[in-house]
Amino acid sequence: MNKKSLTNIGILIAILALSLVGMVSPAATGIVDTVSPTTPLVSDEGSWTDSRTTLSFWWVPSYASSGIVEYLYAITEDSPEGTLIRDWTSAGLNTEITAKDLNLKPDTTYYIGVKARGGADQVSEIGYSDGIAIRDGRDAAKFGEVS
């Protein structure tokens, strides 16, 4: 088999092992995943929220031929690369989270980043929400509300 015949999805490997007495054991097969999981598509509660302590968000599940073993999320301030206010935290296999006990500032936009870890320990690219602003009650018109 040449390199060109290997696929990006995985390589089937058959392993023949000799037992302690020199006999050949049955072949054990497994998939070696060579591709990172797909990037999660992340959504949040909308363009703004009044909450100063919680953010809810969800994502479309990722795919990896070796399966997904964990999702991780982080929350940043002002941009996806901004100040980290919640470091990478495991969400297990959940695809919906309400992050609690946050100290969110009014007139600040927060971004949720999610990445998936596959069964072969490879990690996806980070998917980000489009940002959610914390509304200052005095600025209702700024957020599309007219009194």
Side-chain angles (χ1 to χ4, degrees):
M1 179 180 288
N2 62 36
K3 286 183 180 181
K4 291 185 180 192
S5 66
L6 300 177
T7 67
N8 285 335
I9 297 172
I11 305 164
L12 180 61
I13 300 173
I15 303 168
L16 297 174
L18 294 176
S19 69
L20 290 175
V21 293
M23 302 183 82
V24 176
S25 69
T29 58
I31 299 289
V32 175
D33 200 342
T34 61
V35 177
S36 295
T38 56
T39 304
L41 301 172
V42 185
S43 297
D44 54 38
E45 301 171 85
S47 57
W48 58 268
T49 182
D50 287 321
S51 177
R52 304 278 174 91
T53 59
T54 64
L55 287 176
S56 294
F57 49 97
W58 52 95
W59 54 94
V60 175
S62 296
Y63 170 80
S65 59
S66 61
I68 300 298
V69 297
E70 176 183 40
Y71 292 101
L72 298 117
Y73 73 92
I75 302 172
T76 58
E77 185 177 279
D78 297 324
S79 75
E81 297 81 25
T83 304
L84 199 60
I85 67 154
R86 167 90 26 110
D87 205 348
W88 291 105
T89 303
S90 177
L93 292 174
N94 295 309
T95 57
E96 183 174 337
I97 292 289
T98 297
K100 300 177 180 178
D101 301 322
L102 301 171
N103 185 17
L104 306 173
K105 298 182 259 184
D107 294 323
T108 303
T109 301
Y110 294 90
Y111 295 82
I112 295 91
V114 177
K115 58 186 175 181
R117 189 167 59 85
D121 210 30
Q122 71 291 53
V123 179
S124 73
E125 295 291 323
I126 302 167
Y128 288 99
S129 69
D130 61 357
I132 184 165
I134 307 307
R135 184 173 80 157
D136 183 339
R138 298 171 294 176
D139 293 336
K142 177 177 165 182
F143 292 94
E145 292 184 6
V146 179
S147 47

